[in-house]
Coordinates of all heavy atoms in Angstrom, one line a residue:
M1 N -58.3 134.1 -96.6 CA -59.2 133.1 -96.1 C -60.4 133.7 -95.5 O -60.3 134.7 -94.7 CB -58.4 132.3 -95.0 CG -59.2 131.1 -94.6 SD -58.1 129.9 -93.8 CE -58.7 130.0 -92.1
N2 N -61.6 133.2 -95.8 CA -62.8 133.8 -95.3 C -63.2 133.1 -94.0 O -63.0 131.9 -93.8 CB -64.0 133.5 -96.4 CG -63.7 134.3 -97.6 OD1 -63.1 135.3 -97.6 ND2 -64.3 133.8 -98.7
D3 N -63.8 133.9 -93.2 CA -64.3 133.4 -91.9 C -65.6 132.6 -92.2 O -66.4 133.0 -93.0 CB -64.7 134.5 -90.9 CG -63.4 135.2 -90.4 OD1 -62.3 134.6 -90.5 OD2 -63.5 136.4 -90.0
K4 N -65.8 131.5 -91.5 CA -66.9 130.6 -91.7 C -67.8 130.8 -90.4 O -67.5 130.4 -89.4 CB -66.6 129.2 -91.9 CG -65.6 128.9 -93.0 CD -66.3 129.2 -94.3 CE -65.3 128.9 -95.4 NZ -65.6 129.6 -96.6
N5 N -69.0 131.5 -90.6 CA -69.8 131.8 -89.5 C -70.4 130.5 -88.9 O -70.5 130.4 -87.6 CB -71.0 132.7 -89.9 CG -70.4 134.1 -90.2 OD1 -69.4 134.5 -89.7 ND2 -71.1 134.8 -91.1
S6 N -70.8 129.6 -89.7 CA -71.4 128.3 -89.1 C -70.3 127.5 -88.4 O -70.7 126.9 -87.4 CB -72.0 127.5 -90.2 OG -71.2 127.3 -91.3
A7 N -69.1 127.6 -88.8 CA -68.0 126.9 -88.1 C -67.8 127.5 -86.7 O -67.6 126.8 -85.7 CB -66.7 126.9 -88.9
G8 N -67.8 128.8 -86.6 CA -67.7 129.5 -85.4 C -68.8 129.2 -84.4 O -68.6 129.0 -83.2
L9 N -70.1 129.2 -84.9 CA -71.2 128.8 -84.1 C -71.1 127.4 -83.6 O -71.4 127.1 -82.5 CB -72.5 129.0 -85.0 CG -73.1 130.4 -85.1 CD1 -74.3 130.3 -86.0 CD2 -73.5 130.9 -83.8
F10 N -70.6 126.5 -84.5 CA -70.5 125.1 -84.1 C -69.5 125.0 -83.0 O -69.8 124.3 -82.0 CB -70.1 124.3 -85.3 CG -70.0 122.8 -85.0 CD1 -71.2 122.1 -84.9 CD2 -68.8 122.2 -84.8 CE1 -71.1 120.7 -84.7 CE2 -68.7 120.9 -84.5 CZ -69.9 120.1 -84.4
V11 N -68.3 125.6 -83.1 CA -67.3 125.5 -82.1 C -67.8 126.1 -80.7 O -67.6 125.5 -79.7 CB -66.0 126.1 -82.5 CG1 -65.0 126.2 -81.4 CG2 -65.4 125.3 -83.7
T12 N -68.4 127.2 -80.8 CA -68.9 127.8 -79.6 C -70.0 127.0 -79.0 O -70.1 126.8 -77.8 CB -69.5 129.2 -79.9 OG1 -68.5 130.0 -80.6 CG2 -69.9 130.0 -78.7
G13 N -70.9 126.4 -79.8 CA -71.9 125.5 -79.3 C -71.4 124.3 -78.6 O -71.8 123.9 -77.5
V14 N -70.4 123.7 -79.2 CA -69.8 122.5 -78.6 C -69.1 122.9 -77.3 O -69.2 122.2 -76.3 CB -68.8 121.9 -79.5 CG1 -67.9 120.8 -78.8 CG2 -69.5 121.2 -80.7
T15 N -68.5 124.0 -77.2 CA -67.8 124.5 -76.0 C -68.8 124.7 -74.9 O -68.6 124.3 -73.8 CB -67.0 125.8 -76.3 OG1 -66.1 125.6 -77.3 CG2 -66.3 126.3 -75.0
F16 N -69.9 125.4 -75.2 CA -71.0 125.6 -74.2 C -71.6 124.3 -73.8 O -71.9 124.1 -72.6 CB -72.1 126.5 -74.8 CG -71.7 128.0 -74.8 CD1 -70.5 128.4 -74.4 CD2 -72.6 128.9 -75.3 CE1 -70.1 129.8 -74.4 CE2 -72.3 130.3 -75.3 CZ -71.0 130.7 -74.8
V17 N -71.8 123.3 -74.7 CA -72.4 122.1 -74.3 C -71.5 121.3 -73.4 O -72.0 120.6 -72.5 CB -72.8 121.2 -75.6 CG1 -73.1 119.8 -75.2 CG2 -74.0 121.9 -76.3
I18 N -70.2 121.4 -73.6 CA -69.2 120.8 -72.7 C -69.1 121.5 -71.3 O -69.0 120.9 -70.3 CB -67.9 120.6 -73.4 CG1 -68.0 119.6 -74.5 CG2 -66.8 120.1 -72.4 CD1 -66.8 119.5 -75.4
A19 N -69.0 122.8 -71.4 CA -68.8 123.7 -70.2 C -70.0 123.7 -69.3 O -69.9 123.8 -68.1 CB -68.5 125.1 -70.6
G20 N -71.2 123.6 -69.8 CA -72.5 123.6 -69.0 C -72.5 122.5 -68.0 O -72.6 122.8 -66.8
P21 N -72.5 121.2 -68.4 CA -72.5 120.2 -67.4 C -71.3 120.2 -66.5 O -71.4 119.8 -65.4 CB -72.5 118.9 -68.3 CG -73.1 119.3 -69.6 CD -72.7 120.7 -69.8
L22 N -70.2 120.6 -67.0 CA -69.0 120.7 -66.2 C -69.2 121.7 -65.0 O -68.9 121.4 -63.9 CB -67.8 121.1 -67.0 CG -66.4 121.1 -66.3 CD1 -66.1 119.7 -65.8 CD2 -65.3 121.6 -67.2
L23 N -69.8 122.8 -65.3 CA -70.1 123.8 -64.3 C -71.2 123.2 -63.3 O -71.1 123.5 -62.1 CB -70.6 125.1 -65.0 CG -70.7 126.3 -64.1 CD1 -69.4 126.7 -63.5 CD2 -71.3 127.5 -65.0
I24 N -72.1 122.5 -63.8 CA -73.1 121.9 -62.9 C -72.4 120.9 -62.0 O -72.7 120.8 -60.8 CB -74.2 121.2 -63.8 CG1 -75.1 122.3 -64.4 CG2 -75.1 120.3 -62.9 CD1 -76.1 121.7 -65.4
I25 N -71.5 120.1 -62.5 CA -70.8 119.1 -61.7 C -70.0 119.8 -60.6 O -70.0 119.4 -59.5 CB -69.9 118.2 -62.6 CG1 -70.8 117.2 -63.4 CG2 -69.0 117.3 -61.7 CD1 -70.1 116.5 -64.5
I26 N -69.3 120.9 -61.0 CA -68.5 121.6 -60.0 C -69.4 122.2 -59.0 O -69.1 122.1 -57.8 CB -67.7 122.7 -60.8 CG1 -66.6 122.0 -61.6 CG2 -67.0 123.7 -59.8 CD1 -65.9 123.0 -62.5
G27 N -70.5 122.8 -59.4 CA -71.4 123.4 -58.4 C -72.0 122.4 -57.4 O -72.1 122.6 -56.2
T28 N -72.4 121.2 -58.0 CA -72.9 120.1 -57.1 C -71.9 119.6 -56.2 O -72.2 119.3 -55.0 CB -73.5 119.0 -58.0 OG1 -74.4 119.6 -58.9 CG2 -74.2 117.9 -57.2
T29 N -70.6 119.5 -56.7 CA -69.6 119.0 -55.8 C -69.3 119.9 -54.6 O -69.2 119.5 -53.5 CB -68.3 118.8 -56.6 OG1 -68.5 117.9 -57.7 CG2 -67.1 118.2 -55.8
F30 N -69.2 121.2 -54.9 CA -69.0 122.2 -53.8 C -70.2 122.2 -52.9 O -70.1 122.4 -51.7 CB -68.7 123.5 -54.4 CG -67.3 123.7 -54.8 CD1 -67.0 124.0 -56.2 CD2 -66.2 123.5 -54.0 CE1 -65.7 124.2 -56.6 CE2 -64.9 123.6 -54.4 CZ -64.6 124.0 -55.7
G31 N -71.4 122.0 -53.5 CA -72.6 122.0 -52.7 C -72.6 120.8 -51.7 O -73.0 121.0 -50.5
A32 N -72.2 119.6 -52.2 CA -72.1 118.5 -51.3 C -71.1 118.7 -50.2 O -71.3 118.3 -49.1 CB -71.8 117.2 -52.1
G33 N -70.0 119.3 -50.6 CA -68.9 119.6 -49.6 C -69.4 120.6 -48.6 O -69.1 120.4 -47.4
A34 N -70.1 121.6 -49.0 CA -70.6 122.6 -48.0 C -71.7 122.0 -47.2 O -71.8 122.4 -46.0 CB -71.2 123.8 -48.8
L35 N -72.5 121.1 -47.7 CA -73.5 120.4 -46.9 C -72.9 119.6 -45.8 O -73.4 119.5 -44.7 CB -74.4 119.6 -47.8 CG -75.6 118.9 -47.1 CD1 -76.6 119.9 -46.6 CD2 -76.3 118.0 -48.1
L36 N -71.8 118.9 -46.1 CA -71.2 118.0 -45.2 C -70.5 118.8 -44.1 O -70.4 118.4 -42.9 CB -70.2 117.1 -45.8 CG -70.8 116.0 -46.7 CD1 -69.7 115.3 -47.5 CD2 -71.6 115.1 -45.9
S37 N -70.0 120.0 -44.4 CA -69.3 120.9 -43.4 C -70.3 121.8 -42.7 O -69.9 122.7 -42.0 CB -68.2 121.7 -44.1 OG -68.8 122.6 -44.9
S38 N -71.6 121.7 -43.0 CA -72.7 122.5 -42.4 C -72.6 124.0 -42.6 O -73.0 124.7 -41.7 CB -72.9 122.1 -41.0 OG -71.9 122.6 -40.2
S39 N -71.9 124.4 -43.6 CA -71.9 125.9 -43.9 C -72.7 126.2 -45.2 O -72.2 126.9 -46.0 CB -70.4 126.3 -44.0 OG -69.8 125.7 -45.1
I40 N -73.8 125.5 -45.4 CA -74.5 125.6 -46.6 C -75.1 127.0 -46.8 O -75.3 127.4 -48.0 CB -75.6 124.5 -46.7 CG1 -76.3 124.4 -48.0 CG2 -76.7 124.8 -45.6 CD1 -75.4 123.8 -49.1
S41 N -75.4 127.7 -45.8 CA -76.0 129.0 -46.0 C -75.1 130.0 -46.7 O -75.5 130.9 -47.4 CB -76.5 129.6 -44.6 OG -75.3 129.8 -43.8
D42 N -73.8 129.9 -46.5 CA -72.8 130.8 -47.1 C -72.7 130.4 -48.6 O -72.4 131.3 -49.4 CB -71.5 130.7 -46.4 CG -71.5 131.1 -45.0 OD1 -72.4 131.9 -44.6 OD2 -70.7 130.7 -44.2
M43 N -72.8 129.2 -48.9 CA -72.5 128.8 -50.3 C -73.8 128.6 -51.2 O -73.6 128.3 -52.3 CB -71.7 127.4 -50.3 CG -70.4 127.5 -49.6 SD -69.2 128.2 -50.7 CE -69.0 126.9 -51.9
A44 N -74.9 128.7 -50.6 CA -76.2 128.3 -51.3 C -76.4 129.2 -52.5 O -76.7 128.6 -53.6 CB -77.4 128.5 -50.3
A45 N -76.2 130.5 -52.5 CA -76.4 131.3 -53.7 C -75.3 131.0 -54.7 O -75.7 131.0 -55.9 CB -76.3 132.8 -53.3
L46 N -74.1 130.7 -54.4 CA -73.1 130.4 -55.3 C -73.4 129.1 -56.0 O -73.2 128.9 -57.2 CB -71.7 130.4 -54.7 CG -70.5 130.1 -55.5 CD1 -70.4 131.2 -56.6 CD2 -69.3 129.9 -54.7
I47 N -73.8 128.1 -55.3 CA -74.1 126.8 -55.8 C -75.3 126.8 -56.8 O -75.3 126.3 -57.9 CB -74.4 125.8 -54.7 CG1 -73.1 125.6 -53.8 CG2 -74.9 124.5 -55.2 CD1 -73.4 124.9 -52.5
I48 N -76.4 127.5 -56.3 CA -77.6 127.7 -57.2 C -77.2 128.4 -58.5 O -77.6 128.1 -59.6 CB -78.7 128.3 -56.4 CG1 -79.2 127.4 -55.3 CG2 -79.8 128.7 -57.4 CD1 -80.2 128.1 -54.4
G49 N -76.4 129.5 -58.3 CA -76.0 130.3 -59.5 C -75.2 129.5 -60.5 O -75.4 129.6 -61.7
A50 N -74.3 128.6 -59.9 CA -73.4 127.8 -60.8 C -74.3 126.8 -61.6 O -74.1 126.5 -62.8 CB -72.3 127.1 -60.0
N51 N -75.2 126.2 -60.9 CA -76.1 125.2 -61.5 C -77.0 125.8 -62.6 O -77.2 125.2 -63.6 CB -76.9 124.4 -60.5 CG -76.1 123.5 -59.7 OD1 -75.0 123.0 -60.1 ND2 -76.5 123.2 -58.5
V52 N -77.6 127.0 -62.3 CA -78.4 127.6 -63.2 C -77.6 128.1 -64.4 O -78.0 127.9 -65.6 CB -79.2 128.8 -62.6 CG1 -79.8 129.7 -63.6 CG2 -80.2 128.3 -61.6
L53 N -76.4 128.7 -64.2 CA -75.6 129.1 -65.3 C -75.1 127.9 -66.2 O -75.1 128.0 -67.4 CB -74.4 129.8 -64.8 CG -73.4 130.4 -65.8 CD1 -74.1 131.5 -66.6 CD2 -72.2 131.0 -65.1
G54 N -74.8 126.8 -65.5 CA -74.5 125.6 -66.3 C -75.6 125.1 -67.2 O -75.4 124.7 -68.3
G55 N -76.8 125.1 -66.6 CA -78.0 124.7 -67.4 C -78.3 125.7 -68.6 O -78.6 125.2 -69.7
L56 N -78.1 127.0 -68.3 CA -78.3 127.9 -69.4 C -77.3 127.8 -70.5 O -77.6 127.9 -71.7 CB -78.3 129.4 -68.9 CG -79.6 129.8 -68.1 CD1 -79.4 131.1 -67.5 CD2 -80.8 129.7 -69.0
L57 N -76.0 127.6 -70.1 CA -74.9 127.4 -71.1 C -75.2 126.2 -71.9 O -75.0 126.2 -73.2 CB -73.6 127.2 -70.4 CG -72.9 128.5 -69.9 CD1 -71.6 128.2 -69.2 CD2 -72.6 129.4 -71.1
S58 N -75.7 125.1 -71.3 CA -76.0 123.9 -72.1 C -77.1 124.2 -73.1 O -77.1 123.8 -74.3 CB -76.4 122.8 -71.2 OG -75.3 122.4 -70.4
L59 N -78.2 124.9 -72.7 CA -79.3 125.2 -73.5 C -78.9 126.1 -74.7 O -79.2 125.8 -75.8 CB -80.4 125.8 -72.7 CG -81.7 126.2 -73.5 CD1 -82.4 124.9 -74.0 CD2 -82.6 127.0 -72.6
I60 N -78.1 127.1 -74.4 CA -77.6 128.0 -75.4 C -76.7 127.3 -76.4 O -76.8 127.5 -77.6 CB -76.9 129.2 -74.8 CG1 -77.9 130.1 -74.1 CG2 -76.2 130.0 -75.9 CD1 -77.3 131.2 -73.2
G61 N -75.9 126.4 -75.9 CA -75.0 125.6 -76.7 C -75.8 124.7 -77.7 O -75.4 124.6 -78.9
I62 N -76.8 124.1 -77.2 CA -77.6 123.2 -78.1 C -78.3 124.0 -79.2 O -78.3 123.6 -80.3 CB -78.7 122.4 -77.2 CG1 -78.0 121.4 -76.4 CG2 -79.7 121.8 -78.1 CD1 -78.9 120.7 -75.4
I63 N -78.8 125.2 -78.8 CA -79.4 126.1 -79.8 C -78.4 126.6 -80.9 O -78.7 126.6 -82.1 CB -80.1 127.3 -79.1 CG1 -81.3 126.8 -78.3 CG2 -80.5 128.4 -80.1 CD1 -81.9 127.9 -77.4
M64 N -77.2 126.9 -80.4 CA -76.1 127.3 -81.3 C -75.7 126.1 -82.3 O -75.5 126.3 -83.4 CB -74.9 127.8 -80.6 CG -75.2 129.1 -79.9 SD -73.8 129.7 -79.0 CE -72.9 130.5 -80.3
L65 N -75.7 124.9 -81.7 CA -75.4 123.7 -82.6 C -76.5 123.5 -83.7 O -76.2 123.2 -84.8 CB -75.3 122.5 -81.7 CG -74.0 122.3 -81.0 CD1 -74.0 121.1 -80.1 CD2 -72.8 122.2 -81.9
I66 N -77.7 123.7 -83.3 CA -78.8 123.6 -84.3 C -78.7 124.6 -85.3 O -78.8 124.4 -86.5 CB -80.2 123.6 -83.6 CG1 -80.4 122.3 -82.7 CG2 -81.3 123.7 -84.6 CD1 -81.6 122.4 -81.8
G67 N -78.4 125.9 -84.9 CA -78.3 127.0 -85.9 C -77.1 126.8 -86.8 O -77.2 127.0 -88.0
A68 N -76.0 126.3 -86.3 CA -74.8 126.1 -87.1 C -75.0 125.0 -88.1 O -74.6 125.0 -89.2 CB -73.6 125.8 -86.2
T69 N -75.7 123.9 -87.7 CA -76.0 122.8 -88.6 C -76.9 123.2 -89.7 O -76.7 122.9 -90.8 CB -76.6 121.6 -87.8 OG1 -75.7 121.3 -86.7 CG2 -76.9 120.4 -88.7
Y70 N -77.9 124.0 -89.3 CA -78.8 124.5 -90.3 C -78.1 125.4 -91.4 O -78.3 125.3 -92.6 CB -80.0 125.3 -89.7 CG -80.9 126.0 -90.6 CD1 -81.9 125.3 -91.3 CD2 -80.8 127.4 -90.9 CE1 -82.7 125.9 -92.2 CE2 -81.6 128.0 -91.8 CZ -82.6 127.2 -92.4 OH -83.4 127.9 -93.3
R71 N -77.3 126.3 -90.9 CA -76.5 127.2 -91.8 C -75.6 126.5 -92.7 O -75.5 126.7 -93.9 CB -75.8 128.3 -91.0 CG -76.6 129.3 -90.4 CD -75.8 130.3 -89.6 NE -75.0 131.0 -90.5 CZ -74.5 132.2 -90.3 NH1 -74.8 132.8 -89.2 NH2 -73.8 132.8 -91.1
A72 N -74.9 125.4 -92.1 CA -74.0 124.7 -92.9 C -74.7 123.9 -94.0 O -74.3 123.8 -95.1 CB -73.2 123.7 -92.0
L73 N -75.9 123.3 -93.6 CA -76.6 122.5 -94.6 C -77.2 123.4 -95.7 O -77.2 123.0 -96.9 CB -77.7 121.7 -93.9 CG -77.3 120.5 -93.1 CD1 -78.5 119.9 -92.3 CD2 -76.6 119.5 -93.9
V74 N -77.6 124.6 -95.4 CA -78.1 125.5 -96.4 C -77.0 125.9 -97.3 O -77.1 126.0 -98.5 CB -78.8 126.7 -95.8 CG1 -79.1 127.8 -96.8 CG2 -80.1 126.3 -95.1
K75 N -75.8 126.2 -96.8 CA -74.7 126.6 -97.5 C -74.2 125.6 -98.5 O -73.8 126.0 -99.7 CB -73.5 127.0 -96.6 CG -72.4 127.7 -97.2 CD -72.7 129.1 -97.6 CE -71.5 129.8 -98.0 NZ -71.7 131.1 -98.5
I76 N -74.2 124.3 -98.2 CA -73.8 123.3 -99.1 C -74.9 122.7 -99.9 O -74.7 121.7 -100.6 CB -73.0 122.2 -98.4 CG1 -74.0 121.4 -97.4 CG2 -71.8 122.7 -97.7 CD1 -73.4 120.2 -96.8
D77 N -76.0 123.4 -99.9 CA -77.2 123.0 -100.7 C -77.7 121.5 -100.3 O -78.3 120.9 -101.2 CB -77.0 123.1 -102.2 CG -76.9 124.5 -102.6 OD1 -77.5 125.4 -101.9 OD2 -76.2 124.8 -103.6
A78 N -77.5 121.1 -99.1 CA -78.0 119.8 -98.7 C -79.4 119.9 -98.2 O -80.1 118.9 -98.0 CB -77.1 119.2 -97.7
L79 N -79.8 121.1 -97.8 CA -81.1 121.4 -97.3 C -81.8 122.5 -98.2 O -81.3 123.6 -98.3 CB -81.0 121.9 -95.9 CG -82.3 122.2 -95.1 CD1 -83.0 120.9 -94.9 CD2 -82.0 122.8 -93.8
Q80 N -82.8 122.1 -98.8 CA -83.5 123.0 -99.7 C -84.4 124.0 -98.9 O -85.3 123.5 -98.2 CB -84.3 122.3 -100.8 CG -84.9 123.1 -101.8 CD -85.5 122.3 -102.9 OE1 -85.5 121.1 -102.9 NE2 -86.1 123.0 -103.9
V81 N -84.1 125.3 -99.0 CA -84.9 126.2 -98.2 C -86.2 126.6 -99.0 O -87.2 126.7 -98.4 CB -84.0 127.5 -97.9 CG1 -84.8 128.5 -97.2 CG2 -82.8 127.1 -97.2
T82 N -86.1 126.9 -100.2 CA -87.3 127.3 -101.0 C -87.4 126.4 -102.2 O -86.4 125.9 -102.8 CB -87.2 128.8 -101.5 OG1 -86.0 128.9 -102.3 CG2 -87.1 129.7 -100.4
A83 N -88.6 126.2 -102.6 CA -88.8 125.3 -103.8 C -88.5 126.1 -105.1 O -88.9 127.3 -105.1 CB -90.3 124.9 -103.8
P84 N -87.9 125.5 -106.0 CA -87.7 126.2 -107.3 C -89.0 126.5 -108.0 O -89.9 125.8 -107.9 CB -86.8 125.2 -108.1 CG -87.0 123.9 -107.5 CD -87.4 124.1 -106.1
S85 N -89.0 127.6 -108.7 CA -90.2 128.0 -109.4 C -90.5 127.1 -110.6 O -89.6 126.8 -111.4 CB -90.0 129.5 -109.9 OG -91.1 129.9 -110.7
A86 N -91.7 126.7 -110.7 CA -92.1 125.9 -111.8 C -92.3 126.7 -113.1 O -92.3 126.1 -114.2 CB -93.4 125.2 -111.5
H87 N -92.4 128.0 -113.0 CA -92.6 128.8 -114.2 C -91.3 129.3 -114.8 O -91.4 130.1 -115.7 CB -93.5 130.0 -113.8 CG -94.8 129.6 -113.3 ND1 -95.8 128.9 -114.0 CD2 -95.3 129.7 -112.0 CE1 -96.8 128.7 -113.3 NE2 -96.6 129.1 -112.1
R88 N -90.2 128.9 -114.3 CA -88.9 129.4 -114.8 C -88.6 128.8 -116.1 O -88.7 127.6 -116.3 CB -87.9 129.0 -113.8 CG -86.6 129.6 -114.0 CD -85.7 129.3 -112.9 NE -84.4 130.1 -113.0 CZ -83.4 130.0 -112.2 NH1 -83.5 129.2 -111.2 NH2 -82.4 130.7 -112.4
Q89 N -88.2 129.7 -117.1 CA -87.8 129.2 -118.4 C -86.3 129.2 -118.5 O -85.7 130.2 -118.1 CB -88.4 130.1 -119.5 CG -89.9 130.1 -119.5 CD -90.5 131.0 -120.6 OE1 -89.8 131.6 -121.3 NE2 -91.8 131.0 -120.7
H90 N -85.8 128.2 -119.1 CA -84.4 128.1 -119.3 C -84.1 128.5 -120.8 O -84.5 127.8 -121.7 CB -83.9 126.7 -119.1 CG -84.1 126.3 -117.7 ND1 -83.3 126.7 -116.6 CD2 -85.0 125.4 -117.1 CE1 -83.7 126.2 -115.5 NE2 -84.8 125.4 -115.7
W91 N -83.4 129.6 -121.0 CA -83.0 130.1 -122.3 C -81.6 129.8 -122.6 O -80.7 129.8 -121.7 CB -83.2 131.7 -122.3 CG -84.6 132.1 -122.1 CD1 -85.2 132.4 -121.0 CD2 -85.6 132.2 -123.1 NE1 -86.5 132.7 -121.1 CE2 -86.8 132.6 -122.5 CE3 -85.6 132.0 -124.5 CZ2 -88.0 132.8 -123.2 CZ3 -86.8 132.2 -125.2 CH2 -88.0 132.6 -124.5
P92 N -81.2 129.6 -123.8 CA -79.8 129.4 -124.1 C -79.0 130.7 -123.9 O -79.6 131.8 -123.9 CB -79.8 129.1 -125.6 CG -81.2 129.3 -126.1 CD -82.1 129.5 -125.0
A93 N -77.8 130.5 -123.6 CA -76.9 131.7 -123.2 C -76.7 132.6 -124.4 O -76.5 133.8 -124.2 CB -75.6 131.2 -122.8
D94 N -76.8 132.2 -125.6 CA -76.6 133.1 -126.8 C -77.9 133.6 -127.4 O -78.0 133.8 -128.6 CB -75.7 132.3 -127.8 CG -76.4 131.1 -128.3 OD1 -77.4 130.6 -127.7 OD2 -75.9 130.5 -129.3
R95 N -78.9 133.8 -126.5 CA -80.1 134.3 -127.0 C -80.0 135.7 -127.5 O -79.4 136.5 -126.9 CB -81.2 134.2 -125.9 CG -82.5 134.5 -126.3 CD -83.5 134.4 -125.1 NE -83.9 135.8 -124.8 CZ -84.1 136.2 -123.6 NH1 -84.0 135.5 -122.5 NH2 -84.5 137.5 -123.4
G96 N -80.6 136.0 -128.7 CA -80.4 137.3 -129.3 C -81.5 138.1 -129.2 O -82.3 138.8 -129.1

Protein backbone atom coordinates (compact mmCIF):
# COMPACT_ATOMS: atom_id res chain seq x y z
CA MET A 1 0.00 0.00 0.00
CA ASN A 2 1.39 3.40 -0.97
CA ASP A 3 1.38 6.36 1.36
CA LYS A 4 -0.80 9.22 0.19
CA ASN A 5 0.91 12.54 0.89
CA SER A 6 -2.17 14.65 0.28
CA ALA A 7 -4.20 12.50 2.68
CA GLY A 8 -1.58 12.99 5.39
CA LEU A 9 -1.56 16.74 4.79
CA PHE A 10 -5.34 16.80 4.94
CA VAL A 11 -5.55 14.90 8.24
CA THR A 12 -2.82 17.04 9.81
CA GLY A 13 -4.51 20.21 8.56
CA VAL A 14 -7.88 19.18 10.00
CA THR A 15 -6.20 18.32 13.30
CA PHE A 16 -4.49 21.72 13.47
CA VAL A 17 -7.70 23.56 12.53
CA ILE A 18 -9.52 21.79 15.39
CA ALA A 19 -6.67 22.05 17.91
CA GLY A 20 -6.00 25.76 17.30
CA PRO A 21 -9.34 27.15 18.45
CA LEU A 22 -9.44 24.58 21.25
CA LEU A 23 -6.13 25.91 22.53
CA ILE A 24 -7.42 29.48 22.28
CA ILE A 25 -10.54 28.55 24.27
CA ILE A 26 -8.44 26.86 26.95
CA GLY A 27 -6.08 29.85 27.17
CA THR A 28 -8.98 32.29 27.39
CA THR A 29 -10.72 30.21 30.06
CA PHE A 30 -7.61 30.08 32.23
CA GLY A 31 -7.08 33.79 31.59
CA ALA A 32 -10.57 34.61 32.83
CA GLY A 33 -10.02 32.42 35.89
CA ALA A 34 -6.70 34.10 36.64
CA LEU A 35 -8.26 37.53 36.19
CA LEU A 36 -11.00 36.70 38.68
CA SER A 37 -8.49 35.43 41.23
CA SER A 38 -6.28 38.54 40.64
CA SER A 39 -3.13 36.52 39.90
CA ILE A 40 -3.00 37.62 36.27
CA SER A 41 0.67 38.60 36.37
CA ASP A 42 1.75 35.00 36.94
CA MET A 43 -0.37 33.57 34.14
CA ALA A 44 -0.13 36.38 31.57
CA ALA A 45 2.75 34.92 29.55
CA LEU A 46 1.19 31.46 29.51
CA ILE A 47 -2.19 32.79 28.40
CA ILE A 48 -0.72 34.96 25.64
CA GLY A 49 1.48 32.09 24.49
CA ALA A 50 -1.45 29.66 24.34
CA ASN A 51 -3.57 32.12 22.35
CA VAL A 52 -0.76 32.92 19.90
CA LEU A 53 0.07 29.23 19.47
CA GLY A 54 -3.59 28.42 18.89
CA GLY A 55 -3.85 31.11 16.22
CA LEU A 56 -0.68 29.90 14.49
CA LEU A 57 -1.89 26.29 14.55
CA SER A 58 -5.16 27.35 12.93
CA LEU A 59 -3.36 29.33 10.24
CA ILE A 60 -0.94 26.49 9.48
CA GLY A 61 -3.85 24.04 9.41
CA ILE A 62 -5.71 26.13 6.85
CA ILE A 63 -2.59 26.36 4.66
CA MET A 64 -2.12 22.59 4.90
CA LEU A 65 -5.75 21.99 3.93
CA ILE A 66 -5.35 24.21 0.87
CA GLY A 67 -2.15 22.38 -0.10
CA ALA A 68 -3.71 18.95 0.37
CA THR A 69 -6.75 19.90 -1.67
CA TYR A 70 -4.56 21.24 -4.47
CA ARG A 71 -2.40 18.10 -4.52
CA ALA A 72 -5.43 15.81 -4.51
CA LEU A 73 -7.12 17.70 -7.35
CA VAL A 74 -3.96 17.63 -9.45
CA LYS A 75 -3.49 13.91 -8.78
CA ILE A 76 -6.98 12.98 -9.95
CA ASP A 77 -6.74 15.33 -12.94
CA ALA A 78 -9.65 17.46 -11.77
CA LEU A 79 -7.44 20.54 -11.87
CA GLN A 80 -5.47 21.19 -15.03
CA VAL A 81 -2.02 22.52 -14.16
CA THR A 82 -0.60 23.10 -17.64
CA ALA A 83 -2.37 23.54 -20.95
CA PRO A 84 -1.83 20.73 -23.45
CA SER A 85 0.38 21.60 -26.37
CA ALA A 86 -1.47 22.56 -29.55
CA HIS A 87 1.45 21.37 -31.71
CA ARG A 88 1.33 17.80 -30.47
CA GLN A 89 0.82 15.19 -33.17
CA HIS A 90 -0.93 11.92 -32.47
CA TRP A 91 0.73 9.05 -34.32
CA PRO A 92 -0.62 5.53 -34.56
CA ALA A 93 1.06 3.03 -32.28
CA ASP A 94 2.27 0.84 -35.17
CA ARG A 95 4.09 3.63 -36.95
CA GLY A 96 7.03 2.23 -38.90
